[in-house]
Amino acid sequence: MARKKVRIGELLVESRVISETQLRSALERQKKTGLKLGRQLIEAGYLSEDRLLEFLSQQLEIPHVDLTRYEIRQNTAELLPETAARRFRAIVLEVKDGTALVGMADPTNIFAMDEIERILKLTVDPAVVRESELLDAIDRSYSRASEIHSLAEELHDELDSGSDFDLSQLDANVGESDAAVVRLLKSIFEDAVRSGTSDIHIEPDEVCLRIRQRIDGVLREQVMKEARIASALVLRLKLMAGLNISERRLPQDGRFNIRIGDRGVDVRLSTLPVQWGESVVMRLLDQSQGALGLERIGMPGRILRRFRHFIHQPHGLVLVTGPTGSGKTTTLYGALSELNDPAKKIISCEDPVEYRLPRIQQVQVNSKIGLSFASVLRAALRQDPDIVMIGEMRDQETAEIGLRAAMTGHLVFSTLHTNSAAASAARLLDMGAEGFLVATALTAVLAQRLIRRICEACAEPHVLSSQEKMWLRANAGESAEFLNFLKPRGCPRCNGTGYRGRTGVYELLELDLAMADALRRADTTAYIEAAAKTQGFRPLSICALEYASKGITSLEEVLRIAGEQEDTGGNLKTRGARALAES
């Protein structure tokens, strides 16, 4: 039966959802903007999107589907090609008895329905869905996983058929679409950038190849049975990074740039010889976003104000601490971006240089030729700098040069790998730095971690266990167990993890006279006790607990942060209860 065109505007007026005047006004604006009438009515504020979806569902007698709570099978969605799904704003939700349930942002579009039926060769039953949820669902459903598998199989067949893997020809024709290895890598990188991957791991095994992506700090695995393609992938990547392709016994490091759409991505590559070949790990840095400003990294306002106070001082040492992958470099780049102006000379020595910043002289450390942090720092201090950033204080020599530079009129930034702010000065003493140098030069220490943000689409109330209540009473006061917390359930929007994205938690330790006096005596015990008693100091776990009480993260993430922290002494319970009360 032929479908009849539905005039949504006339139906809305007849049902008194909008007025005749509003319809005419929306139609006039539609001629200028080119938007669909429904979207134009929403943009004009004449009705809400929820009201429009509810109206369409009732008038057309079709279901309204909430895609945030609907599990879409990838093989079902892919029955409709991605280009058609995006063109018609539609996705296949379910197929049963020769009929396809298709979610559509505009179910009144009879042309789209007829075309979808022609493509699917099935009867189409439309369902109305929210357009923003539909676009998210399309991005999730049309991931590159199946394409990666098919390209891996194709490359495996080429290698099995005895065809030579011509590296020189492949290097010269990197853009050719018929080079299976290049297309496979292209799909891997596109999938990684789309999903927000920070690291790609390529790991050969005896009978399979594992490709793992780190998303929001957690690895997700894809296993391929085509183990023989691993060497082809590694060779191609080595060529892209300019590494020695004949050397397979030693680790190598390199980097290269790729462009995906309008986004430039810097790839840092590391190879490691393992039992079944070479393992490759690639860190992806999206250069199109540039370095984030301090106001965009999620630092609480109270800590941000104090941190800005210290980075705008004329001299002194400011440390940022935390484990690998905790966002230390991002914070320091944010500070340098804020201080970057023509009146200041800024030099950084890094390993490696992650983001290119204009006007800042960035030096790449290279230990193979003797260009260490200490040697770069000595040379940098002869370049008349106002501000110096040291990528990491790894040894006594680097630490002492940095401390003396901070004492002689330079503002010095650096990082340390410690679990808490209070442990950082003690680590400098353990490295062999003189106590009086640390006490005089060090002004503030910022410790940080990254915690996962709970998915808003599937978060639900969390009932505390007896162990969680005991921890809250012990660390944040008696009233903390009555706070409301959320827990992740997992849904299609977050790929079943319950989390989407990450944010930072911070603790800022400002050195006072008691701490400085303990450092001069090299008394680390007295120093840590004085640090724990500092007025206004909030531990990382209390900062995370504040986020959990506001529904930003889960109590599970808070306990993970608390478990990573070293004991800094002092009455944590009193300070935690006061901090929560103030917030």
Side-chain angles (χ1 to χ4, degrees):
M1 184 180 296
R3 294 187 172 93
K4 296 181 180 179
K5 184 171 179 61
V6 177
R7 296 188 177 276
I8 185 65
E10 294 176 3
L11 286 175
L12 287 168
V13 172
E14 289 175 8
S15 302
R16 298 183 179 179
V17 177
I18 62 173
S19 67
E20 184 74 38
T21 304
Q22 289 174 329
L23 175 59
R24 286 197 299 270
S25 173
L27 289 171
E28 286 297 322
R29 291 188 184 183
Q30 186 186 26
K31 294 176 183 178
K32 299 177 182 178
T33 63
L35 294 173
K36 296 273 189 182
L37 179 59
R39 177 55 53 186
Q40 186 62 66
L41 291 167
I42 293 168
E43 295 288 338
Y46 296 148
L47 78 167
S48 67
E49 188 172 11
D50 288 333
R51 181 71 183 93
L52 177 61
L53 296 176
E54 180 186 346
F55 177 81
L56 288 173
S57 176
Q58 292 173 351
Q59 291 294 320
L60 303 178
E61 297 182 348
I62 60 175
H64 172 208
V65 176
D66 181 357
L67 291 182
T68 62
R69 300 182 178 276
Y70 194 98
E71 184 175 355
I72 302 172
R73 292 185 176 88
Q74 186 174 335
N75 57 349
T76 301
E78 290 178 346
L79 292 174
L80 184 66
E82 183 178 1
T83 53
R86 294 189 183 278
R87 177 186 174 191
F88 300 127
R89 292 290 194 267
I91 189 167
V92 182
L93 303 176
E94 184 181 312
V95 175
K96 187 176 181 181
D97 299 330
T99 301
L101 178 64
V102 178
M104 301 182 69
D106 181 11
T108 66
N109 188 340
I110 58 174
F111 167 77
M113 273 193 280
D114 288 342
E115 190 64 16
I116 292 170
E117 279 193 346
R118 186 189 66 78
I119 295 171
L120 296 178
K121 297 180 174 58
L122 296 169
T123 303
V124 168
D125 281 346
V128 61
V129 297
R130 190 185 298 271
E131 186 171 8
S132 58
E133 295 173 1
L134 172 68
L135 294 176
D136 283 344
I138 289 175
D139 286 341
R140 293 193 308 269
S141 300
Y142 292 93
S143 70
R144 300 282 176 172
S146 59
E147 183 180 350
I148 290 171
H149 267 297
S150 63
L151 287 170
E153 290 174 358
E154 182 182 341
L155 178 58
H156 186 262
D157 292 341
E158 285 186 13
L159 295 173
D160 274 345
S161 66
S163 60
D164 292 332
F165 191 71
D166 191 343
L167 291 175
S168 60
Q169 183 180 2
L170 186 61
D171 187 45
N173 302 291
V174 67
E176 288 188 355
S177 59
D178 60 342
V181 65
V182 176
R183 288 188 286 126
L184 174 56
L185 285 173
K186 182 173 180 289
S187 294
I188 291 172
F189 283 126
E190 287 177 348
D191 187 46
V193 171
R194 175 185 288 183
S195 59
T197 297
S198 62
D199 300 85
I200 301 174
H201 297 238
I202 298 177
E203 302 169 343
D205 208 333
E206 182 179 10
V207 295
C208 66
L209 171 67
R210 290 183 173 86
I211 295 180
R212 300 201 280 175
Q213 297 179 339
R214 189 175 296 279
I215 303 173
D216 293 340
V218 178
L219 284 172
R220 300 180 188 175
E221 185 175 78
Q222 186 176 355
V223 180
M224 301 177 183
K225 62 182 180 180
E226 299 83 12
R228 292 186 66 243
I229 71 174
S231 59
L233 289 177
V234 174
L235 285 169
R236 175 67 249 166
L237 289 168
K238 281 185 171 183
L239 281 171
M240 294 171 72
L243 301 181
N244 183 357
I245 61 174
S246 63
E247 179 57 76
R248 300 181 181 180
R249 300 165 301 170
L250 296 174
Q252 296 187 68
D253 296 311
R255 67 191 304 163
F256 56 90
N257 295 299
I258 57 174
R259 179 158 292 278
I260 299 175
D262 58 349
R263 301 170 70 174
V265 178
D266 188 21
V267 182
R268 284 163 35 196
L269 178 144
S270 172
T271 70
L272 182 70
V274 294
Q275 185 178 8
W276 303 109
E278 290 178 277
S279 171
V280 174
V281 175
M282 292 177 285
R283 168 68 57 88
L284 307 185
L285 299 167
D286 191 346
Q287 297 292 337
S288 61
Q289 294 182 352
L292 294 178
L294 287 177
E295 67 282 348
R296 293 177 57 199
I297 65 175
M299 195 179 294
R302 181 185 59 85
I303 293 180
L304 179 58
R305 286 190 296 273
R306 295 301 302 159
F307 185 65
R308 276 184 164 144
H309 166 75
F310 288 109
I311 68 172
H312 283 281
Q313 296 300 303
H315 56 81
L317 172 63
V318 177
L319 289 175
V320 179
T321 76
T324 301
S326 59
K328 302 185 297 296
T329 304
T330 300
T331 299
L332 286 181
Y333 274 128
L336 291 182
S337 298
E338 185 162 312
L339 297 171
N340 188 8
D341 66 59
K344 294 185 177 70
K345 171 83 169 185
I346 304 176
I347 301 178
S348 73
C349 42
E350 309 171 50
D351 184 20
V353 174
E354 294 191 5
Y355 291 101
R356 279 77 169 178
L357 300 175
R359 199 182 291 113
I360 295 177
Q361 307 304 302
Q362 298 173 269
V363 183
Q364 169 78 52
V365 170
N366 188 344
S367 57
K368 293 179 182 178
I369 60 173
L371 197 62
S372 64
F373 277 112
S375 60
V376 172
L377 190 52
R378 280 196 208 91
L381 292 174
R382 294 193 291 270
Q383 294 278 311
D384 188 29
D386 297 291
I387 301 169
V388 176
M389 187 186 94
I390 308 169
E392 183 184 348
M393 286 187 172
R394 297 176 178 173
D395 52 59
Q396 178 181 356
E397 186 180 14
T398 305
E400 288 194 345
I401 295 173
L403 289 166
R404 292 185 186 278
M407 289 176 61
T408 55
H410 303 88
L411 180 60
V412 180
F413 298 140
S414 188
T415 70
L416 274 179
H417 286 122
T418 59
N419 287 334
S420 66
S424 299
R427 177 65 57 83
L428 292 176
L429 295 178
D430 291 340
M431 284 183 184
E434 295 289 345
F436 76 91
L437 283 178
V438 181
T440 306
L442 186 61
T443 57
V445 183
L446 180 76
Q448 66 181 76
R449 296 289 191 284
L450 292 177
I451 57 171
R452 292 181 291 173
R453 299 179 71 98
I454 202 164
C455 176
E456 297 178 359
C458 65
E460 58 187 22
H462 175 57
V463 179
L464 296 175
S465 65
S466 57
Q467 291 86 353
E468 289 169 339
K469 290 180 180 178
M470 289 174 59
W471 185 89
L472 288 170
R473 283 196 294 267
N475 293 280
E478 298 290 340
S479 61
E481 64 178 280
F482 300 105
L483 295 171
N484 295 320
F485 299 103
L486 296 176
K487 68 176 181 180
R489 187 183 72 245
C491 68
R493 177 172 287 188
C494 60
N495 291 319
T497 64
Y499 298 95
R500 289 188 73 193
R502 292 190 291 177
T503 190
V505 291
Y506 305 85
E507 65 180 26
L508 181 63
L509 182 63
E510 307 174 24
L511 263 71
D512 59 17
L513 292 175
M515 284 186 278
D517 185 56
L519 288 173
R520 288 189 187 94
R521 303 193 311 269
D523 187 344
T524 56
T525 302
Y527 162 74
I528 290 177
E529 289 177 355
K533 296 175 183 177
T534 304
Q535 186 176 5
F537 175 72
R538 298 185 184 191
L540 283 168
S541 56
I542 296 302
C543 182
L545 187 58
E546 291 177 13
Y547 283 161
S549 67
K550 296 173 183 176
I552 297 173
T553 190
S554 66
L555 194 57
E556 174 189 15
E557 286 289 282
V558 177
L559 296 176
R560 179 179 65 82
I561 293 295
E564 290 179 358
Q565 275 192 277
E566 295 176 353
D567 181 17
T568 58
N571 192 342
L572 191 68
K573 174 179 175 181
T574 303
R575 289 181 289 115
R578 186 188 306 120
L580 286 174
E582 290 173 357
S583 65

